[in-house]
Amino acid sequence: MLGNELEKIRHLLIVQDMQGRRTIALREATYSIGRHSANTIVLASRSVSMQHAILLRVTLPETDQYGFQIIDGNYKGKGSTNGLFVNGDRCFSHNLKHGDLIVFGNNQAQAQYYAISNLSEQAFSKSCDVEDLSDFLSEQTNPVNPFQTLALDTTFEAASEAALARLASFPELIPNAIIEMDLEGTVTYLNPAATLKFPKLREIGMQHPILTGLLDAVNNLEKNSFMREVEVGTEVFEQSVLYLPESDLIRTFIVRDVTEQKQATAELHQRDRLLQGVAEAANYLLSEMNYETGIERALAVLGEAAKADRAYLFQNHPHPTTGEIAMSLRFEWTRSFIQPTGHLWQNQPYEASGLNRWYNVLSNGQSISGLTQTFLVAEQQFLIRDGIQSLLLVPLRLENEFWGYLGLADCTFERHWSRHEESTLLTMAASIIGARQRQQVEEKIRYQALHDLLTGLPNRLLFDQMLCKTLPNATRNGESLAVIFLDLDRFKVINDTLGHTLGDKLLQNVAQRLKDSLRKGDTVARWGGDEFTILLPRVNNIEEVTQVAQRILQTLEDAFHLQEHELYISASLGIALLDRNSPDAETLIQHADTALYHAKDKGRNNYQFYSASLNAKNPELLTLEKSLRYALERKEFSLYYQPRVNISTQEITGMEALLRWQHPEMGLVAPSVFIPLAEQSGLIVPIGEWVLRTACSQNKAWQDAGLPPLTIAVNLSLKQFRQPQLVETVAKILEQTGLEAHFLELEITETTAIEDLDFTRTVLENLQQMGVHLSIDDFGTGHSSLSRLQLLPLHNLKIDKSFIQDLTHDVKVAHIIKAIVSLGRNLGLRLTAEGVENEEELEFLKSINCEDVQGFLFYRPLSAQKATEVLESKRPML
């Protein structure tokens, strides 16, 4: 076997082009050579034609060996642009000999041909990978078995046509079709393979694809042979054509059947087109903000890429009448010559329509594919009605539910859908479901941004948008509108007494009653807490608004039965009408709010319209507000300090900083008067920063004087606490004053703490990390509970003085204080009672283990000088 193997002649082509050198083992019957990537041998040079030459294997006369003939040009007989040169001579065809040098146009692309023997198959395969073939072949030789090359008959070079003609002496034996015809177009010979492959060739004659165009091609030839591709029905062949001038015959040889190769290439192109289409469609789904537009564009791209006639999306839903599972065509793309069928596929019940199989198969995650004639009779009726010859459906699953399906249909011919087309459609389905999920998330985010999550009503933001949108319409139509501000009476009592869960249920029920009491087109929104706003967009007279207001009060009169409780609640309403006093959205809301508080002053459970007289401020308050703006720069503010005393030791454990305003004309202004003004005007922020810095500086001064260290407590108003830079401001002041953080205690009211519990917790945790002590001031006056406050990083709890004042004459208050102290201690909080003025109060607090007190019994608020004197008197004696 080894001897036979070594005797076998092997053929190599060493190619050198712009991309370098490579060795090609010639094992096939034909090779196309050129610059285009579709060639068998691709050459990288601009001098090379797209298809420059054909390399054809030919059997050597009277031997069992073969050689190779190289032919200039392509399969259609068109010659190369820059010519084919063998050993320096231009030629149209040449039978290659060992060592021949082939140049394609110029020296940028060339090849050398080797015909070798005495070489094993393993060594032959390895020769393709070596850089220097001559050295490699030399290594294979030895004295016993010297290396041999192919010896060609000297007549072979000059007798290429004769050599090919001699091949015909073996036509009966070879499996390739050979056909011969004369110059009149008459078929003179068919070998058995040709007769079997093309049984009607003689009958059809020159009209047969194998013979079509041969006479014209031969008449225009510059050379006697060429190659071409021929399509016969669905099959594609490579055909070698040889003109024999000595006998005036045209002989053709079917080199190989390339049908599968062509089909594979076409399938690859179709796959590429589909993948590109899916990528483009997915991009539309990702980039298009409008979900429906994205789906429509994606289906159009998918349909074009798949070369389908229809692409559509069906969605499952309950039937609007019967409630059974049905489907509707939501999106459809069709080619221009195909009629849309969306109107025929609406509310189509699966069972009643005979489409149960579709539902069962698709809901199990499987696809449906096939020709219309293979579907069930009931299914065929729908497909035939729509002119569909073949159909492909894949399921759409949303959150593990069978949500619908995606489909492609062909109305032109009976198409067999490939697995790749099915997998591509599944990929597209996944992209569509992803877009649908994104749409759902966006819708949810938009809804949550514009609606109150507890009641489902529009929130403040959406109410403002609706009001601003309605105002121009009212003005244009010569109509008025009304804004109603509603506040529930006694809701806080119910909420605190029965708990927030029941309070939330009550708010939900109130919201529903409010919606039911309004006219069509009116809007009720939850403003916040127990406040609601109502928009009446079309108002022609004041009686309409009055009727709505009365109906709202009446609808709240009936009891609310919640969790075995019978609850009664009423409301106060403030109403503002669009007029010259309330010309815009902001003013309307402000005036409705003003009217609301007027309604509360009138005894609650009533409504009041806004009038200009309600908004007239006390002239003294206006003057005071103006003066307040200059009080800080005129240094009219000062701090007083009220000591906090330990009940057991009577020692001062801390100081609370209290702001005082000495007006140059009005004298000392009460905090209850100017603090609300500062809050409303926004001046509370710079004033509060001044208080904080002054208090920290004073505490550091006491420490530097050698006085016992203690904490200084500073109150933060709601606006101060809400300012974005609070934590940074506190840190900066501590750094500037040199006071250590644990000697500063910041107090916020209970109401401030619970308004936004998550925000409060974040701010307090940041302050706690700095080392600042934190306290809840005036506990008991807000609407919270210790169970909610335990979520916050607190150190101290201050019991409001209103409880202490009622302590001696209301036994219930004593129980409340005792419960607060007990719960507070269990939560690790230090308790301070405010407003202690007599011994009886002190003794009670001492009996329930309350640690600290503040009040006139011990100290009134002291100026800085007086406070210093008190601390000096408490200095331990050495």
PDB file of all heavy atoms in Angstrom, residues 632 637-641 657 659 686-702 712 714 733 737 739 864:
ATOM      1  N   LEU A 632     -31.480  89.858  60.768  1.00  0.00           N
ATOM      2  CA  LEU A 632     -30.242  89.102  60.885  1.00  0.00           C
ATOM      3  C   LEU A 632     -29.025  90.008  60.654  1.00  0.00           C
ATOM      4  O   LEU A 632     -28.086  90.008  61.445  1.00  0.00           O
ATOM      5  CB  LEU A 632     -30.240  87.927  59.896  1.00  0.00           C
ATOM      6  CG  LEU A 632     -29.164  86.860  60.103  1.00  0.00           C
ATOM      7  CD1 LEU A 632     -29.272  86.246  61.483  1.00  0.00           C
ATOM      8  CD2 LEU A 632     -29.283  85.771  59.028  1.00  0.00           C
ATOM      9  N   PHE A 637     -31.108  89.519  66.566  1.00  0.00           N
ATOM     10  CA  PHE A 637     -31.390  88.215  67.164  1.00  0.00           C
ATOM     11  C   PHE A 637     -30.390  87.931  68.294  1.00  0.00           C
ATOM     12  O   PHE A 637     -29.249  88.397  68.285  1.00  0.00           O
ATOM     13  CB  PHE A 637     -31.282  87.092  66.129  1.00  0.00           C
ATOM     14  CG  PHE A 637     -32.367  87.097  65.102  1.00  0.00           C
ATOM     15  CD1 PHE A 637     -32.077  87.255  63.745  1.00  0.00           C
ATOM     16  CD2 PHE A 637     -33.687  86.949  65.490  1.00  0.00           C
ATOM     17  CE1 PHE A 637     -33.082  87.250  62.808  1.00  0.00           C
ATOM     18  CE2 PHE A 637     -34.709  86.935  64.545  1.00  0.00           C
ATOM     19  CZ  PHE A 637     -34.409  87.102  63.199  1.00  0.00           C
ATOM     20  N   SER A 638     -30.861  87.144  69.240  1.00  0.00           N
ATOM     21  CA  SER A 638     -29.988  86.661  70.298  1.00  0.00           C
ATOM     22  C   SER A 638     -30.457  85.270  70.708  1.00  0.00           C
ATOM     23  O   SER A 638     -31.588  84.875  70.399  1.00  0.00           O
ATOM     24  CB  SER A 638     -30.013  87.603  71.507  1.00  0.00           C
ATOM     25  OG  SER A 638     -31.318  87.653  72.074  1.00  0.00           O
ATOM     26  N   LEU A 639     -29.581  84.543  71.406  1.00  0.00           N
ATOM     27  CA  LEU A 639     -29.941  83.207  71.881  1.00  0.00           C
ATOM     28  C   LEU A 639     -30.039  83.210  73.400  1.00  0.00           C
ATOM     29  O   LEU A 639     -29.203  83.809  74.094  1.00  0.00           O
ATOM     30  CB  LEU A 639     -28.900  82.173  71.441  1.00  0.00           C
ATOM     31  CG  LEU A 639     -28.887  81.749  69.979  1.00  0.00           C
ATOM     32  CD1 LEU A 639     -27.941  80.564  69.795  1.00  0.00           C
ATOM     33  CD2 LEU A 639     -30.267  81.392  69.467  1.00  0.00           C
ATOM     34  N   TYR A 640     -31.091  82.545  73.875  1.00  0.00           N
ATOM     35  CA  TYR A 640     -31.233  82.272  75.303  1.00  0.00           C
ATOM     36  C   TYR A 640     -31.054  80.775  75.484  1.00  0.00           C
ATOM     37  O   TYR A 640     -31.247  79.984  74.543  1.00  0.00           O
ATOM     38  CB  TYR A 640     -32.597  82.727  75.808  1.00  0.00           C
ATOM     39  CG  TYR A 640     -32.630  84.193  76.211  1.00  0.00           C
ATOM     40  CD1 TYR A 640     -32.283  85.192  75.305  1.00  0.00           C
ATOM     41  CD2 TYR A 640     -32.994  84.573  77.507  1.00  0.00           C
ATOM     42  CE1 TYR A 640     -32.300  86.521  75.665  1.00  0.00           C
ATOM     43  CE2 TYR A 640     -33.009  85.918  77.874  1.00  0.00           C
ATOM     44  CZ  TYR A 640     -32.672  86.888  76.960  1.00  0.00           C
ATOM     45  OH  TYR A 640     -32.678  88.206  77.334  1.00  0.00           O
ATOM     46  N   TYR A 641     -30.693  80.379  76.699  1.00  0.00           N
ATOM     47  CA  TYR A 641     -30.387  78.971  76.950  1.00  0.00           C
ATOM     48  C   TYR A 641     -31.164  78.504  78.174  1.00  0.00           C
ATOM     49  O   TYR A 641     -31.109  79.124  79.231  1.00  0.00           O
ATOM     50  CB  TYR A 641     -28.879  78.790  77.184  1.00  0.00           C
ATOM     51  CG  TYR A 641     -28.046  79.272  76.027  1.00  0.00           C
ATOM     52  CD1 TYR A 641     -27.586  80.595  75.970  1.00  0.00           C
ATOM     53  CD2 TYR A 641     -27.752  78.407  74.986  1.00  0.00           C
ATOM     54  CE1 TYR A 641     -26.834  81.027  74.884  1.00  0.00           C
ATOM     55  CE2 TYR A 641     -26.993  78.843  73.898  1.00  0.00           C
ATOM     56  CZ  TYR A 641     -26.546  80.154  73.848  1.00  0.00           C
ATOM     57  OH  TYR A 641     -25.808  80.591  72.777  1.00  0.00           O
ATOM     58  N   ALA A 657     -30.935  75.804  73.092  1.00  0.00           N
ATOM     59  CA  ALA A 657     -30.814  77.154  72.549  1.00  0.00           C
ATOM     60  C   ALA A 657     -32.179  77.633  72.062  1.00  0.00           C
ATOM     61  O   ALA A 657     -32.841  76.939  71.287  1.00  0.00           O
ATOM     62  CB  ALA A 657     -29.811  77.168  71.406  1.00  0.00           C
ATOM     63  N   LEU A 659     -34.312  80.952  70.349  1.00  0.00           N
ATOM     64  CA  LEU A 659     -34.119  82.179  69.578  1.00  0.00           C
ATOM     65  C   LEU A 659     -35.026  83.298  70.104  1.00  0.00           C
ATOM     66  O   LEU A 659     -36.210  83.087  70.371  1.00  0.00           O
ATOM     67  CB  LEU A 659     -34.426  81.915  68.093  1.00  0.00           C
ATOM     68  CG  LEU A 659     -34.267  83.084  67.133  1.00  0.00           C
ATOM     69  CD1 LEU A 659     -32.812  83.574  67.120  1.00  0.00           C
ATOM     70  CD2 LEU A 659     -34.709  82.681  65.723  1.00  0.00           C
ATOM     71  N   PRO A 686     -31.523  80.795  56.599  1.00  0.00           N
ATOM     72  CA  PRO A 686     -30.335  81.538  57.068  1.00  0.00           C
ATOM     73  C   PRO A 686     -30.388  81.855  58.562  1.00  0.00           C
ATOM     74  O   PRO A 686     -29.346  81.842  59.234  1.00  0.00           O
ATOM     75  CB  PRO A 686     -30.359  82.819  56.224  1.00  0.00           C
ATOM     76  CG  PRO A 686     -31.754  82.947  55.737  1.00  0.00           C
ATOM     77  CD  PRO A 686     -32.271  81.557  55.575  1.00  0.00           C
ATOM     78  N   ILE A 687     -31.596  82.125  59.102  1.00  0.00           N
ATOM     79  CA  ILE A 687     -31.710  82.376  60.536  1.00  0.00           C
ATOM     80  C   ILE A 687     -31.322  81.136  61.326  1.00  0.00           C
ATOM     81  O   ILE A 687     -30.583  81.198  62.319  1.00  0.00           O
ATOM     82  CB  ILE A 687     -33.145  82.826  60.898  1.00  0.00           C
ATOM     83  CG1 ILE A 687     -33.431  84.211  60.292  1.00  0.00           C
ATOM     84  CG2 ILE A 687     -33.345  82.858  62.408  1.00  0.00           C
ATOM     85  CD1 ILE A 687     -34.871  84.660  60.449  1.00  0.00           C
ATOM     86  N   GLY A 688     -31.810  79.949  60.865  1.00  0.00           N
ATOM     87  CA  GLY A 688     -31.489  78.698  61.543  1.00  0.00           C
ATOM     88  C   GLY A 688     -30.011  78.391  61.509  1.00  0.00           C
ATOM     89  O   GLY A 688     -29.448  77.855  62.480  1.00  0.00           O
ATOM     90  N   GLU A 689     -29.343  78.710  60.413  1.00  0.00           N
ATOM     91  CA  GLU A 689     -27.903  78.485  60.333  1.00  0.00           C
ATOM     92  C   GLU A 689     -27.160  79.379  61.335  1.00  0.00           C
ATOM     93  O   GLU A 689     -26.189  78.946  61.963  1.00  0.00           O
ATOM     94  CB  GLU A 689     -27.426  78.750  58.899  1.00  0.00           C
ATOM     95  CG  GLU A 689     -25.975  78.384  58.683  1.00  0.00           C
ATOM     96  CD  GLU A 689     -25.565  78.501  57.216  1.00  0.00           C
ATOM     97  OE1 GLU A 689     -26.455  78.433  56.331  1.00  0.00           O
ATOM     98  OE2 GLU A 689     -24.348  78.660  56.955  1.00  0.00           O
ATOM     99  N   TRP A 690     -27.651  80.623  61.481  1.00  0.00           N
ATOM    100  CA  TRP A 690     -27.037  81.532  62.458  1.00  0.00           C
ATOM    101  C   TRP A 690     -27.199  80.988  63.879  1.00  0.00           C
ATOM    102  O   TRP A 690     -26.271  81.012  64.690  1.00  0.00           O
ATOM    103  CB  TRP A 690     -27.678  82.917  62.358  1.00  0.00           C
ATOM    104  CG  TRP A 690     -27.156  83.881  63.375  1.00  0.00           C
ATOM    105  CD1 TRP A 690     -26.059  84.671  63.289  1.00  0.00           C
ATOM    106  CD2 TRP A 690     -27.730  84.125  64.680  1.00  0.00           C
ATOM    107  NE1 TRP A 690     -25.881  85.389  64.434  1.00  0.00           N
ATOM    108  CE2 TRP A 690     -26.888  85.086  65.312  1.00  0.00           C
ATOM    109  CE3 TRP A 690     -28.838  83.656  65.367  1.00  0.00           C
ATOM    110  CZ2 TRP A 690     -27.152  85.570  66.599  1.00  0.00           C
ATOM    111  CZ3 TRP A 690     -29.096  84.119  66.643  1.00  0.00           C
ATOM    112  CH2 TRP A 690     -28.263  85.066  67.253  1.00  0.00           C
ATOM    113  N   VAL A 691     -28.402  80.459  64.178  1.00  0.00           N
ATOM    114  CA  VAL A 691     -28.663  79.882  65.501  1.00  0.00           C
ATOM    115  C   VAL A 691     -27.713  78.725  65.770  1.00  0.00           C
ATOM    116  O   VAL A 691     -27.107  78.623  66.845  1.00  0.00           O
ATOM    117  CB  VAL A 691     -30.136  79.422  65.611  1.00  0.00           C
ATOM    118  CG1 VAL A 691     -30.349  78.628  66.896  1.00  0.00           C
ATOM    119  CG2 VAL A 691     -31.079  80.614  65.554  1.00  0.00           C
ATOM    120  N   LEU A 692     -27.562  77.847  64.808  1.00  0.00           N
ATOM    121  CA  LEU A 692     -26.719  76.670  64.974  1.00  0.00           C
ATOM    122  C   LEU A 692     -25.260  77.073  65.208  1.00  0.00           C
ATOM    123  O   LEU A 692     -24.593  76.550  66.116  1.00  0.00           O
ATOM    124  CB  LEU A 692     -26.841  75.779  63.727  1.00  0.00           C
ATOM    125  CG  LEU A 692     -26.119  74.429  63.774  1.00  0.00           C
ATOM    126  CD1 LEU A 692     -26.625  73.577  64.923  1.00  0.00           C
ATOM    127  CD2 LEU A 692     -26.303  73.696  62.446  1.00  0.00           C
ATOM    128  N   ARG A 693     -24.773  78.016  64.426  1.00  0.00           N
ATOM    129  CA  ARG A 693     -23.371  78.437  64.564  1.00  0.00           C
ATOM    130  C   ARG A 693     -23.139  79.136  65.913  1.00  0.00           C
ATOM    131  O   ARG A 693     -22.143  78.894  66.598  1.00  0.00           O
ATOM    132  CB  ARG A 693     -22.998  79.364  63.408  1.00  0.00           C
ATOM    133  CG  ARG A 693     -21.544  79.863  63.478  1.00  0.00           C
ATOM    134  CD  ARG A 693     -21.143  80.681  62.284  1.00  0.00           C
ATOM    135  NE  ARG A 693     -20.873  79.823  61.126  1.00  0.00           N
ATOM    136  CZ  ARG A 693     -21.709  79.653  60.115  1.00  0.00           C
ATOM    137  NH1 ARG A 693     -22.880  80.278  60.096  1.00  0.00           N
ATOM    138  NH2 ARG A 693     -21.391  78.865  59.113  1.00  0.00           N
ATOM    139  N   THR A 694     -24.090  79.985  66.316  1.00  0.00           N
ATOM    140  CA  THR A 694     -23.954  80.722  67.575  1.00  0.00           C
ATOM    141  C   THR A 694     -23.976  79.773  68.772  1.00  0.00           C
ATOM    142  O   THR A 694     -23.172  79.897  69.712  1.00  0.00           O
ATOM    143  CB  THR A 694     -25.072  81.763  67.708  1.00  0.00           C
ATOM    144  OG1 THR A 694     -25.039  82.623  66.566  1.00  0.00           O
ATOM    145  CG2 THR A 694     -24.907  82.592  68.971  1.00  0.00           C
ATOM    146  N   ALA A 695     -24.880  78.795  68.746  1.00  0.00           N
ATOM    147  CA  ALA A 695     -24.994  77.839  69.846  1.00  0.00           C
ATOM    148  C   ALA A 695     -23.736  76.980  69.965  1.00  0.00           C
ATOM    149  O   ALA A 695     -23.234  76.730  71.071  1.00  0.00           O
ATOM    150  CB  ALA A 695     -26.222  76.951  69.649  1.00  0.00           C
ATOM    151  N   CYS A 696     -23.205  76.520  68.804  1.00  0.00           N
ATOM    152  CA  CYS A 696     -21.994  75.703  68.837  1.00  0.00           C
ATOM    153  C   CYS A 696     -20.807  76.524  69.345  1.00  0.00           C
ATOM    154  O   CYS A 696     -19.977  76.024  70.131  1.00  0.00           O
ATOM    155  CB  CYS A 696     -21.698  75.139  67.442  1.00  0.00           C
ATOM    156  SG  CYS A 696     -22.855  73.849  66.904  1.00  0.00           S
ATOM    157  N   SER A 697     -20.717  77.788  68.925  1.00  0.00           N
ATOM    158  CA  SER A 697     -19.622  78.654  69.380  1.00  0.00           C
ATOM    159  C   SER A 697     -19.697  78.870  70.893  1.00  0.00           C
ATOM    160  O   SER A 697     -18.676  78.848  71.599  1.00  0.00           O
ATOM    161  CB  SER A 697     -19.674  79.996  68.646  1.00  0.00           C
ATOM    162  OG  SER A 697     -19.473  79.818  67.258  1.00  0.00           O
ATOM    163  N   GLN A 698     -20.932  79.075  71.413  1.00  0.00           N
ATOM    164  CA  GLN A 698     -21.104  79.305  72.843  1.00  0.00           C
ATOM    165  C   GLN A 698     -20.723  78.064  73.651  1.00  0.00           C
ATOM    166  O   GLN A 698     -20.043  78.165  74.682  1.00  0.00           O
ATOM    167  CB  GLN A 698     -22.550  79.683  73.131  1.00  0.00           C
ATOM    168  CG  GLN A 698     -22.827  79.991  74.600  1.00  0.00           C
ATOM    169  CD  GLN A 698     -22.025  81.185  75.102  1.00  0.00           C
ATOM    170  OE1 GLN A 698     -22.254  82.319  74.691  1.00  0.00           O
ATOM    171  NE2 GLN A 698     -21.073  80.950  75.991  1.00  0.00           N
ATOM    172  N   ASN A 699     -21.121  76.899  73.176  1.00  0.00           N
ATOM    173  CA  ASN A 699     -20.790  75.664  73.895  1.00  0.00           C
ATOM    174  C   ASN A 699     -19.281  75.431  73.912  1.00  0.00           C
ATOM    175  O   ASN A 699     -18.698  75.027  74.922  1.00  0.00           O
ATOM    176  CB  ASN A 699     -21.515  74.477  73.263  1.00  0.00           C
ATOM    177  CG  ASN A 699     -21.566  73.265  74.189  1.00  0.00           C
ATOM    178  OD1 ASN A 699     -21.337  73.382  75.400  1.00  0.00           O
ATOM    179  ND2 ASN A 699     -21.869  72.103  73.634  1.00  0.00           N
ATOM    180  N   LYS A 700     -18.621  75.723  72.777  1.00  0.00           N
ATOM    181  CA  LYS A 700     -17.168  75.569  72.727  1.00  0.00           C
ATOM    182  C   LYS A 700     -16.492  76.582  73.661  1.00  0.00           C
ATOM    183  O   LYS A 700     -15.502  76.259  74.331  1.00  0.00           O
ATOM    184  CB  LYS A 700     -16.682  75.783  71.285  1.00  0.00           C
ATOM    185  CG  LYS A 700     -15.173  75.513  71.101  1.00  0.00           C
ATOM    186  CD  LYS A 700     -14.851  74.038  71.356  1.00  0.00           C
ATOM    187  CE  LYS A 700     -13.449  73.673  70.936  1.00  0.00           C
ATOM    188  NZ  LYS A 700     -12.394  74.311  71.704  1.00  0.00           N
ATOM    189  N   ALA A 701     -17.070  77.787  73.761  1.00  0.00           N
ATOM    190  CA  ALA A 701     -16.512  78.800  74.667  1.00  0.00           C
ATOM    191  C   ALA A 701     -16.614  78.336  76.113  1.00  0.00           C
ATOM    192  O   ALA A 701     -15.684  78.536  76.921  1.00  0.00           O
ATOM    193  CB  ALA A 701     -17.227  80.129  74.463  1.00  0.00           C
ATOM    194  N   TRP A 702     -17.752  77.708  76.490  1.00  0.00           N
ATOM    195  CA  TRP A 702     -17.892  77.179  77.849  1.00  0.00           C
ATOM    196  C   TRP A 702     -16.848  76.102  78.129  1.00  0.00           C
ATOM    197  O   TRP A 702     -16.245  76.056  79.197  1.00  0.00           O
ATOM    198  CB  TRP A 702     -19.299  76.617  78.045  1.00  0.00           C
ATOM    199  CG  TRP A 702     -20.356  77.685  78.203  1.00  0.00           C
ATOM    200  CD1 TRP A 702     -20.187  78.934  78.707  1.00  0.00           C
ATOM    201  CD2 TRP A 702     -21.726  77.578  77.845  1.00  0.00           C
ATOM    202  NE1 TRP A 702     -21.380  79.626  78.699  1.00  0.00           N
ATOM    203  CE2 TRP A 702     -22.346  78.816  78.177  1.00  0.00           C
ATOM    204  CE3 TRP A 702     -22.517  76.586  77.276  1.00  0.00           C
ATOM    205  CZ2 TRP A 702     -23.703  79.072  77.962  1.00  0.00           C
ATOM    206  CZ3 TRP A 702     -23.867  76.826  77.069  1.00  0.00           C
ATOM    207  CH2 TRP A 702     -24.448  78.066  77.405  1.00  0.00           C
ATOM    208  N   ILE A 712     -25.465  70.857  73.681  1.00  0.00           N
ATOM    209  CA  ILE A 712     -26.276  72.028  73.356  1.00  0.00           C
ATOM    210  C   ILE A 712     -27.323  71.576  72.356  1.00  0.00           C
ATOM    211  O   ILE A 712     -27.013  70.970  71.327  1.00  0.00           O
ATOM    212  CB  ILE A 712     -25.406  73.173  72.794  1.00  0.00           C
ATOM    213  CG1 ILE A 712     -26.230  74.443  72.642  1.00  0.00           C
ATOM    214  CG2 ILE A 712     -24.742  72.809  71.491  1.00  0.00           C
ATOM    215  CD1 ILE A 712     -26.443  75.178  73.932  1.00  0.00           C
ATOM    216  N   VAL A 714     -30.368  72.259  69.632  1.00  0.00           N
ATOM    217  CA  VAL A 714     -30.835  73.274  68.686  1.00  0.00           C
ATOM    218  C   VAL A 714     -32.012  72.692  67.917  1.00  0.00           C
ATOM    219  O   VAL A 714     -31.937  71.582  67.392  1.00  0.00           O
ATOM    220  CB  VAL A 714     -29.723  73.679  67.706  1.00  0.00           C
ATOM    221  CG1 VAL A 714     -30.254  74.701  66.698  1.00  0.00           C
ATOM    222  CG2 VAL A 714     -28.534  74.247  68.462  1.00  0.00           C
ATOM    223  N   ILE A 733     -20.214  73.830  60.154  1.00  0.00           N
ATOM    224  CA  ILE A 733     -20.283  74.647  61.372  1.00  0.00           C
ATOM    225  C   ILE A 733     -19.494  73.997  62.505  1.00  0.00           C
ATOM    226  O   ILE A 733     -18.775  74.678  63.252  1.00  0.00           O
ATOM    227  CB  ILE A 733     -21.758  74.874  61.766  1.00  0.00           C
ATOM    228  CG1 ILE A 733     -22.417  75.832  60.757  1.00  0.00           C
ATOM    229  CG2 ILE A 733     -21.875  75.414  63.183  1.00  0.00           C
ATOM    230  CD1 ILE A 733     -23.899  76.018  60.971  1.00  0.00           C
ATOM    231  N   THR A 737     -16.401  75.937  64.244  1.00  0.00           N
ATOM    232  CA  THR A 737     -16.457  76.323  65.663  1.00  0.00           C
ATOM    233  C   THR A 737     -15.542  75.464  66.529  1.00  0.00           C
ATOM    234  O   THR A 737     -15.242  75.822  67.674  1.00  0.00           O
ATOM    235  CB  THR A 737     -17.887  76.220  66.192  1.00  0.00           C
ATOM    236  OG1 THR A 737     -18.340  74.859  66.047  1.00  0.00           O
ATOM    237  CG2 THR A 737     -18.814  77.148  65.421  1.00  0.00           C
ATOM    238  N   LEU A 739     -16.327  72.548  67.752  1.00  0.00           N
ATOM    239  CA  LEU A 739     -17.096  71.750  68.707  1.00  0.00           C
ATOM    240  C   LEU A 739     -17.160  70.307  68.239  1.00  0.00           C
ATOM    241  O   LEU A 739     -17.462  70.042  67.066  1.00  0.00           O
ATOM    242  CB  LEU A 739     -18.513  72.319  68.860  1.00  0.00           C
ATOM    243  CG  LEU A 739     -19.410  71.616  69.884  1.00  0.00           C
ATOM    244  CD1 LEU A 739     -18.897  71.846  71.296  1.00  0.00           C
ATOM    245  CD2 LEU A 739     -20.860  72.100  69.752  1.00  0.00           C
ATOM    246  N   ALA A 864     -26.929  84.435  77.574  1.00  0.00           N
ATOM    247  CA  ALA A 864     -25.632  83.764  77.567  1.00  0.00           C
ATOM    248  C   ALA A 864     -24.848  84.091  78.825  1.00  0.00           C
ATOM    249  O   ALA A 864     -24.203  83.204  79.424  1.00  0.00           O
ATOM    250  CB  ALA A 864     -24.848  84.172  76.318  1.00  0.00           C
TER     251      ALA A 864
END
